[in-house]
Amino acid sequence: MDNTPIFTDDTIVFGLLMLALGFVFVTESIKTGFWPKFYKIVPGLFMAYMVPAVLTTTGLISPEWTTVSDNGEITEHSSNLYYVSSRYLLPAALVLMTLSIDLKGVFNLGWKALVMFFTGTLGIVIGGPIAILLISSVSPETVGGVGPDAVWRGLSTLAGSWIGGGANQTAMLEIYGYNQAKYGGMVFVDIVVANIWMAIILIGIGKRNRINKWLKADTASIEALKEKMSTFSEKVKRNPSLTDIMIICAIAFGTVSIAHLSANYLAPLFEGIVASIESPTTRNIFTFLGSKFFWMISIATIIAILLSFTKAKNYEGAGASKFGSVFIYILVASIGMKMDLTMIFDNLGLIAIGIVWMTIHALLLILVAKLIKAPYFFLAVGSQANVGGAASAPIVASAFHPSLATVGVLLAVFGYAVGTIAAIGCTILMELAAIS
């Protein structure tokens, strides 16, 4: 079916996304009338995500579409905006937001960050089999199938994605041999459910003070780090010259180029090393080491941390983290563009499994956060480091403060490392639930 959007040229689509972001920032800056009341309920970051989603839903733009020629030939097309945002602007943003990081202050955030991350992982591991049991009691055919068509095999790829990332998802597809003709349906569930959950988290950020009060959370370490970073920013603050801006761009994109260059060598190198491992299970556990995205994000972050020990950190005074925030908002808009709200109704059975699954993940996070009095920051970032990975965890973290973006990256790297082995454990439980 031909589903070509009205605008297909990326230059035009990018302009529309920037206009959407401009609309959000203009309305958020209005201090009287309707808009202040609106943004008290709905945070600007959520709107930066949702307005592009509305543009996609109404058919103005689209991340992917197909055209049908007069002779019936079907051609698939896609926008490159998310790829550019995630591969170029995201690492550049991480560099600029990490330049002035206080590494000691990050480590002083303590053990609760790790506890919430692993709670999120556990929520995905147990959420899958519980979702299968609950849905099978209402609609057994939804979780059925035999051989390569067995639904639990397809859900294993969701476990890989929601604990680790794309590399872990691909590893699970290989390990459990799900019918690749049906794999698109699982990718579809991944996009819809993960984006709905991210939208809920973004809304929660706007209500974090009320949530922290209910959790009786101790936010002292986070506030201390934010205060320290704000004090440093004020101390080195200056009116940026053209030279300052060009040097900031040089630091950001020079680091991105080094990260890509290194990733181009390291990913194939480790892919070869991992491929030589005899045990299939062990081999697939380390599949993420063959991911260029993993190495690109990791290297960009490491270089930025090293730069934070040099005079380069003083460029925070010229607005380094503000430039990083611009890149993050463009990434948020490109992620929102991937969400067609009508997709929710296309495969309600699998979507129901995904929603139940994510609800269990969320409830476990809330329970543990309440028990250990963890701030909403740890809940939100711990969840996104699992479900969203390195693309969205820094977005959520930086919404609290630009200097916290690195926390999201560090936790997301944990997700890559444990993603496949935790997903295997989840899949074993899902298989048992499906055949019970």
Side-chain angles (χ1 to χ4, degrees):
M1 188 179 82
D2 192 312
N3 58 352
T4 307
I6 294 174
F7 300 108
T8 58
D9 188 327
D10 272 347
T11 53
I12 297 172
V13 175
F14 179 71
L16 290 173
L17 294 184
M18 292 306 296
L19 285 171
L21 292 175
F23 167 78
V24 171
F25 274 83
V26 167
T27 52
E28 195 176 18
S29 66
I30 297 172
K31 302 302 180 187
T32 57
F34 165 76
W35 291 111
K37 297 173 186 175
F38 177 80
Y39 283 107
K40 240 180 189 178
I41 301 168
V42 181
L45 189 62
F46 172 77
M47 286 295 291
Y49 169 86
M50 191 52 65
V51 174
V54 171
L55 295 179
T56 295
T57 304
T58 55
L60 284 173
I61 61 177
S62 179
E64 296 176 342
W65 67 94
T66 56
T67 56
V68 182
S69 65
D70 293 336
N71 60 6
E73 183 181 349
I74 298 174
T75 306
E76 295 184 353
H77 307 267
S78 63
S79 167
N80 287 317
L81 292 180
Y82 173 73
Y83 181 87
V84 171
S85 299
S86 61
R87 267 59 177 182
Y88 303 135
L89 300 186
L90 173 60
L94 294 176
V95 171
L96 296 177
M97 289 175 162
T98 305
L99 269 186
S100 59
I101 191 174
D102 177 3
L103 204 57
K104 184 180 177 183
V106 170
F107 288 128
N108 284 342
L109 292 177
W111 53 273
K112 290 182 182 179
L114 281 176
V115 168
M116 293 309 296
F117 167 77
F118 284 113
T119 297
T121 303
L122 180 61
I124 298 298
V125 170
I126 66 172
I130 293 173
I132 287 178
L133 289 172
L134 291 175
I135 297 299
S136 65
S137 65
V138 179
S139 176
E141 66 278 4
T142 301
V143 296
V146 293
D149 292 335
V151 171
W152 64 265
R153 293 182 189 273
L155 295 176
S156 73
T157 65
L158 289 186
S161 175
W162 288 351
I163 299 173
N168 307 86
Q169 185 177 29
T170 304
M172 297 305 291
L173 180 64
E174 182 181 329
I175 292 169
Y176 289 99
Y178 183 59
N179 184 348
Q180 294 201 15
K182 295 186 175 182
Y183 178 51
M186 293 299 167
V187 174
F188 161 82
V189 175
D190 182 8
I191 293 170
V192 171
V193 176
N195 281 324
I196 290 173
W197 176 233
M198 184 176 175
I200 293 170
I201 283 179
L202 293 178
I203 292 173
I205 291 173
K207 304 177 186 299
R208 60 184 179 272
N209 292 333
R210 196 183 305 173
I211 295 172
N212 284 333
K213 188 176 180 181
W214 179 78
L215 292 171
K216 297 180 180 177
D218 178 11
T219 60
S221 60
I222 296 172
E223 293 305 320
L225 179 57
K226 287 165 64 176
E227 180 64 30
K228 191 171 183 180
M229 297 312 303
S230 296
T231 302
F232 174 76
S233 295
E234 284 300 315
K235 181 182 173 184
V236 297
K237 189 175 182 179
R238 62 183 186 271
N239 187 27
S241 65
L242 178 59
T243 300
D244 287 330
I245 295 172
M246 293 307 294
I247 291 174
I248 286 171
C249 290
I251 290 171
F253 292 104
T255 301
V256 171
S257 70
I258 293 170
H260 274 272
L261 178 65
S262 303
N264 287 340
Y265 282 103
L266 290 172
L269 172 65
F270 279 91
E271 188 174 28
I273 293 171
V274 171
S276 66
I277 298 174
E278 290 186 13
S279 167
T281 303
T282 306
R283 184 169 61 247
N284 282 292
I285 287 172
F286 293 102
T287 302
F288 72 94
L289 291 174
S291 165
K292 288 184 180 180
F293 185 74
F294 166 78
W295 286 110
M296 181 265 294
I297 291 295
S298 300
I299 291 165
T301 305
I302 290 168
I303 293 173
I305 290 173
L306 292 175
L307 287 172
S308 73
F309 291 99
T310 71
K311 289 184 179 180
K313 71 185 300 180
N314 292 329
Y315 281 101
E316 173 59 25
S321 64
K322 288 185 174 66
F323 284 101
S325 296
V326 170
F327 298 155
I328 286 290
Y329 269 93
I330 293 172
L331 174 63
V332 170
S334 70
I335 292 174
M337 175 185 167
K338 295 169 69 178
M339 181 64 176
D340 182 344
L341 299 174
T342 61
M343 289 167 59
I344 297 169
F345 306 103
D346 285 358
N347 196 335
L348 291 176
L350 287 177
I351 293 292
I353 294 174
I355 289 175
V356 171
W357 192 346
M358 198 61 69
T359 301
I360 293 163
H361 165 80
L363 291 175
L364 186 61
L365 281 166
I366 294 167
L367 174 63
V368 174
K370 183 75 172 172
L371 289 174
I372 67 173
K373 299 179 179 179
Y376 180 69
F377 170 74
F378 291 149
L379 186 157
V381 177
S383 173
Q384 281 303 298
N386 280 283
V387 178
S392 60
I395 293 172
V396 171
S398 65
F400 292 85
H401 192 276
S403 65
L404 297 172
T406 311
V407 179
V409 178
L410 295 175
L411 290 177
V413 169
F414 273 119
Y416 282 120
V418 304
T420 303
I421 192 165
I424 290 172
C426 175
T427 306
I428 291 170
L429 295 176
M430 288 194 292
E431 181 182 8
L432 293 172
I435 63 177
S436 63

